[in-house]
Amino acid sequence: MAPDIIIDYQEESYKNKTKDFIHHFPGYTKDYFVSLFPIITWIHRYNVQWLVRDLIAGITVGIVIVPQSMGYAKLAMLSPEYGLYTAFIGLCVYCLFATSKDISIGPTAVMSLLVGQTVTRVTSDNPNITGPQIAVALSLMAGVIAMFIGLIRLGILVDFIPGPAIAGFMTGSALTITVGQWPKLFGITGINTQDAAYLIFGNFFKGLPRTKLDAAFGLIGLVWLYGIRYTCQVLGKRYPKYEKHLFYFSIMRNGLLVVFGTLIAFLINIGQTTSPISILKTVPAGFRAMHVPFIDGEILSAVASSLPSSVIILILEHVAIAKSFGRINDYQINPDQEIIAIGFTNIWASFFGAYPSTGSFSRTAIKARSGVKTPIAGIFSALVVLLALYALTPAFYFISDAILSAVVIHAVADLVSGPAYIMRLARVSLWELFIFVSAVIITFFTSVEYGIYTSLCLSLVVLLFRIARPSFSALKRIPLAISSNKDSKDSKDIKDSKDEQHYLYVPESHPSLGKLVEDLPRGILMCRIEESFTYPNSSFVSDKIIQYAKSNTRRHGQTPSKSDRAWNDDSVDDGSRDKLPVLHALIIDFTSVNSLDSSGLQSIVDVHNTLNRYSGHHVEFHFVNVIQPSIRSSLIVAGFGTQPRESLSTDKKVQIIQQEMLPVVPASSDGPQQHPQQDMDAYPREKDTERVDISHPSNDDDDTVSSASSHSIPLPKDRYPFFHWSADEAVHAAVITLLSRDEDIPQP
């Protein structure tokens, strides 16, 4: 006969935990500082093959980032060179702290839009503060905050923001940026492109009669960008042999557009005193804005309102992209380390006059597809930017603003979540669809800051609502068919297996199996809590349990008269409840409960006291699948592991003890007196009580056990008789105590 396995946990004292932590503290410290520089763990394996792949990917991204960064700088209401400063620093520094090989840090559309809106707001209120000062202040302060969050390992905060919230404000920002670039695309002046997108939309159509030659550059540029990408994709599928060559040619479409557009702009300006189109004009060579950041109280107070949204964008956009490409390319990133990388990059960038930068989706996708092997590829991209800063700035003079607007529109179009995403999201979660749509609408009609705050607040509200109002299921059972072993030659095995009936426990409201369920034995109820039992939901869950128990059982004894009934008892005495049984045991499935705090524990105690009074005797509380040792310990502290088993005791007069585990307000000496909590050692454990054998016959049959796997074990038993590892076992234990009562529950 296989021996019983008794489950118990030996609690580790805080003293031992402290000693263990102190003993391992030097190792923890070493691991922490090593984790700050992940490059140490892989740089010694760097080889020539990786170098070639990184060189190709780096140059490819560099060709893309030069025109994009200048266009984004214009979006941020800064001169084009500030976009190049931002791109250079992000590409150089990131490799020291990176845990993602694909991410390309630099100016992004959403961050540039936020900086532009901040510059417009601050300069209108404080004309003595310049745009570069605002950009540097945002970069430094956002970097400091982000680095602090990463150093103290608070990257877990990112997990509280769902994907649809991020997609919502990114989609809204992309639409806002696109509409904001239309006036430049058509050469229409006199429109404030930092207004809300709907105002720009209306003013754009009002200003269409003022369209200039810029429209030819802009529209032809858009046709070129989308035409080349689509053509290369089609040809790549048709001719897989040349797919790689077509990909690299497609990536060069931005650079080729800028080169040929600049050449044409130069030609049409020959002999002209004023340019017929809007052009960049002089772009200073080198790092002209390099200095120690100067931030006084006036600047800090001016940008303070934009700091929270800046930090949120830095972290969310970067970590979301890093996680996405980590999943695609089968590696894991460290969110805390990525946040440190963003923070340090922006702190360092502020000394070069750069504005806030983070991970770029479009350039990261290009970098990944180019076959990048390590983060060092960013250095090669930085060299391309450096070349542009020192050698190509004279050629930037005739770059058309319309062409840069076409580049920006083409880049941000990929950030828009299309109809397919919306349809899938609607089928998955209507609440998340509501968050997504709200973020898009608010961003489009107000600003990116309000869009971010809206999406975050709605996400937290939905999260808290789900925690505070979890699903509660009343369980019933379905008999399972017994499958006999056709290969068995011993008919006794089959006979024994038929004596053991197993059940499937499902919610009585289950859409498919609900019509097949049957009741548990009279006086026994079972329910399941579908969420951790904590203070936000403790009252709700306890009310659900009490309501469920009272609706399926009757009060002990006769229904009190009107004069004796409690003031808040609105039950109706119509005689139908006399057919219901008196509650004997309540079985609670704790499979989904991962946390139990003091409020949740007190709620279970309150439910127990309420049902004891309602039933007129001690109601057994059985707990199934209590996986967490800490939850089990809390239940034992409350006395649920050592409940009085009144039906197996010689003394049938079991006192119903009302208790408050952790009173918020101390008991008044003049008020009702509470009985002190009995120490759990005052109750005998299972080994000292009359043992109830709840093992199944198959566990006692040597032949049956031998037919199972060599690694199979009998169903474990807990040291305390009210904790179980299967619902069948819990029902079986409750039935035994029910049948052993001296007096049966009166039948109607």
Side-chain angles (χ1 to χ4, degrees):
M1 182 177 65
D4 288 338
I5 297 178
I6 305 300
I7 302 296
D8 199 4
Y9 304 99
Q10 183 177 2
E11 293 188 22
E12 189 175 0
S13 65
Y14 289 108
K15 180 180 179 181
N16 292 335
K17 291 181 180 180
T18 304
K19 287 182 177 179
D20 183 69
F21 175 78
I22 294 174
H23 176 72
H24 292 93
F25 182 75
Y28 295 152
T29 305
K30 178 184 176 182
D31 293 341
Y32 174 78
F33 283 103
V34 170
S35 68
L36 295 179
F37 299 95
I39 190 173
I40 299 174
T41 62
W42 56 264
I43 191 63
H44 60 278
R45 299 195 304 271
Y46 203 77
N47 53 63
V48 177
Q49 288 78 13
W50 290 5
L51 175 63
V52 174
R53 301 291 291 275
D54 287 345
L55 181 62
I56 296 173
I59 294 175
T60 303
V61 172
I63 294 173
V64 174
I65 199 173
V66 170
Q68 274 192 5
S69 61
M70 291 190 291
Y72 288 153
K74 300 283 285 185
L75 181 62
M77 304 302 291
L78 300 170
S79 300
E81 65 269 18
Y82 288 95
L84 297 173
Y85 301 158
T86 305
F88 175 77
I89 300 303
L91 294 169
C92 277
V93 176
Y94 176 68
C95 66
L96 298 175
F97 306 94
T99 61
S100 169
K101 69 181 180 66
D102 299 308
I103 281 285
S104 175
I105 290 186
T108 63
V110 179
M111 193 72 243
S112 299
L113 175 63
L114 178 60
V115 173
Q117 292 176 344
T118 304
V119 168
T120 301
R121 174 179 58 82
V122 174
T123 52
S124 61
D125 297 335
N126 303 275
N128 57 322
I129 302 178
T130 64
Q133 287 179 319
I134 298 168
V136 168
L138 280 175
S139 180
L140 178 61
M141 299 310 300
V144 169
I145 296 173
M147 192 166 184
F148 175 75
I149 291 174
L151 288 174
I152 62 175
R153 298 303 194 240
L154 283 181
I156 188 176
L157 296 176
V158 178
D159 297 332
F160 286 92
I161 312 302
I166 302 174
F169 76 75
M170 289 183 70
T171 298
S173 300
L175 295 175
T176 301
I177 292 169
T178 300
V179 174
Q181 293 298 307
W182 286 357
K184 291 183 179 180
L185 194 72
F186 284 77
I188 303 173
T189 57
I191 298 177
N192 184 4
T193 56
Q194 296 301 314
D195 283 338
Y198 76 96
L199 293 176
I200 302 174
F201 186 85
N203 293 330
F204 167 75
F205 286 100
K206 289 181 181 179
L208 273 180
R210 303 195 303 271
T211 300
K212 297 180 181 177
L213 183 60
D214 301 68
F217 283 80
L219 295 177
I220 292 175
L222 278 178
V223 172
W224 163 267
L225 291 173
Y226 282 103
I228 292 298
R229 183 168 72 172
Y230 177 77
T231 302
C232 289
Q233 288 176 349
V234 172
L235 293 177
K237 294 178 181 178
R238 182 174 298 181
Y239 306 104
K241 180 180 178 180
Y242 302 102
E243 181 180 5
K244 204 70 174 178
H245 302 81
L246 291 168
F247 165 71
Y248 286 116
F249 178 75
S250 175
I251 294 305
M252 294 175 63
R253 64 186 181 272
N254 288 314
L256 292 175
L257 174 63
V258 172
V259 169
F260 286 105
T262 303
L263 179 59
I264 296 173
F266 170 75
L267 293 176
I268 66 174
N269 274 279
I270 295 177
Q272 301 287 337
T273 56
T274 58
S275 176
I277 61 173
S278 177
I279 56 177
L280 287 186
K281 298 184 179 180
T282 303
V283 177
F287 295 94
R288 300 293 182 90
M290 187 184 298
H291 58 81
V292 177
F294 172 75
I295 300 178
D296 57 11
E298 184 181 11
I299 297 176
L300 188 59
S301 61
V303 302
S305 61
S306 297
L307 273 177
S309 53
S310 299
V311 174
I312 291 171
I313 289 178
L314 287 182
I315 295 177
L316 287 186
E317 191 172 4
H318 182 93
V319 174
I321 294 171
K323 285 184 176 181
S324 176
F325 281 88
R327 288 190 295 267
I328 292 172
N329 295 318
D330 195 23
Y331 64 85
Q332 289 186 337
I333 62 111
N334 183 345
D336 293 308
Q337 187 58 33
E338 291 296 321
I339 295 172
I340 291 174
I342 302 170
F344 185 85
T345 297
N346 282 279
I347 293 173
W348 190 249
S350 65
F351 289 84
F352 288 78
Y355 68 90
S357 60
T358 186
S360 166
F361 174 77
S362 60
R363 296 192 300 271
T364 299
I366 292 171
K367 189 177 178 182
R369 192 172 175 186
S370 298
V372 65
K373 299 300 293 183
T374 72
I376 287 181
I379 295 179
F380 301 118
S381 300
L383 293 177
V384 176
V385 177
L386 194 65
L387 176 66
L389 267 171
Y390 280 96
L392 301 179
T393 49
F396 294 161
Y397 186 93
F398 291 101
I399 292 180
S400 169
D401 282 333
I403 286 181
L404 288 182
S405 294
V407 171
V408 171
I409 293 173
H410 182 63
V412 302
D414 292 332
L415 299 179
V416 177
S417 299
Y421 173 85
I422 297 174
M423 294 298 294
R424 287 195 300 268
L425 186 60
R427 297 183 62 183
V428 173
S429 173
L430 290 178
W431 279 113
E432 291 185 322
L433 177 63
F434 173 70
I435 294 173
F436 172 83
V437 173
S438 299
V440 173
I441 293 175
I442 297 298
T443 302
F444 187 83
F445 284 96
T446 56
S447 67
V448 65
E449 287 187 68
Y450 292 132
I452 292 171
Y453 296 146
T454 299
S455 61
L456 296 188
C457 291
L458 288 177
S459 300
L460 292 178
V461 168
V462 171
L463 174 64
L464 293 176
F465 182 81
R466 287 174 176 171
I467 295 175
R469 294 294 180 267
S471 175
F472 174 84
S473 302
L475 302 183
K476 292 188 177 181
R477 63 184 184 179
I478 303 173
L480 295 177
I482 300 176
S483 59
S484 59
N485 184 5
K486 297 181 179 180
D487 297 332
S488 176
K489 297 181 179 179
D490 191 348
S491 60
K492 181 178 179 296
D493 292 345
I494 300 178
K495 181 179 182 300
D496 289 343
S497 66
K498 290 181 179 179
D499 293 338
E500 179 189 356
Q501 177 66 63
H502 292 286
Y503 295 89
L504 175 67
Y505 295 85
V506 298
E508 58 182 347
S509 59
H510 192 280
S512 301
L513 302 176
K515 59 185 178 181
L516 302 176
V517 298
E518 62 179 35
D519 292 333
L520 274 69
R522 288 178 61 84
I524 300 175
L525 299 177
M526 182 183 296
C527 62
R528 178 187 297 144
I529 303 172
E530 304 287 357
E531 183 62 68
S532 292
F533 207 168
T534 53
Y535 68 92
N537 60 30
S538 57
S539 297
F540 174 79
V541 174
S542 61
D543 290 343
K544 284 288 187 180
I545 295 176
I546 293 173
Q547 180 182 3
Y548 165 61
K550 288 186 176 182
S551 62
N552 289 274
T553 59
R554 62 178 174 86
R555 187 190 301 272
H556 174 72
Q558 295 181 350
T559 303
S561 62
K562 292 183 179 181
S563 60
D564 295 333
R565 183 177 297 176
W567 65 274
N568 58 348
D569 185 0
D570 57 355
S571 59
V572 179
D573 182 18
D574 56 1
S576 61
R577 299 187 59 82
D578 293 338
K579 299 179 181 179
L580 297 176
V582 176
L583 181 62
H584 167 69
L586 177 66
I587 303 170
I588 306 178
D589 188 348
F590 260 48
T591 303
S592 301
V593 179
N594 295 315
S595 178
L596 177 67
D597 64 4
S598 59
S599 298
L601 183 62
Q602 181 62 53
S603 294
I604 299 178
V605 172
D606 293 341
V607 171
H608 197 201
N609 293 332
T610 300
L611 296 183
N612 285 345
R613 291 192 299 268
Y614 181 77
S615 302
H617 60 251
H618 173 79
V619 175
E620 293 183 357
F621 269 39
H622 293 261
F623 300 90
V624 179
N625 294 327
V626 181
I627 307 298
Q628 298 292 337
S630 59
I631 297 178
R632 177 179 178 274
S633 299
S634 298
L635 293 172
I636 292 173
V637 168
F640 288 108
T642 52
Q643 301 173 55
R645 310 184 72 178
E646 72 170 286
S647 55
L648 298 181
S649 173
T650 55
D651 183 9
K652 301 299 179 182
K653 297 180 180 180
V654 179
Q655 183 182 9
I656 301 175
I657 300 177
Q658 301 181 25
Q659 60 188 11
E660 189 170 4
M661 296 296 301
L662 298 169
V664 178
V665 180
S668 172
S669 300
D670 298 327
Q673 300 301 302
Q674 299 187 38
H675 296 277
Q677 168 67 33
Q678 300 258 356
D679 185 77
M680 62 179 174
D681 291 332
Y683 292 110
R685 296 189 178 185
E686 184 181 6
K687 63 179 182 180
D688 300 322
T689 61
E690 178 180 348
R691 184 172 182 83
V692 179
D693 186 8
I694 55 177
S695 60
H696 297 295
S698 59
N699 292 339
D700 297 334
D701 194 321
D702 294 337
D703 294 335
T704 306
V705 172
S706 62
S707 65
S709 169
S710 59
H711 298 287
S712 63
I713 61 173
L715 182 67
K717 301 177 183 178
D718 198 282
R719 187 172 186 180
Y720 295 92
F722 297 95
F723 300 128
H724 310 277
W725 287 84
S726 79
D728 278 335
E729 179 193 14
V731 174
H732 190 68
V735 168
I736 289 178
T737 56
L738 176 63
L739 295 177
S740 61
R741 289 184 182 275
D742 291 338
E743 296 179 0
D744 294 333
I745 299 176
Q747 300 296 325

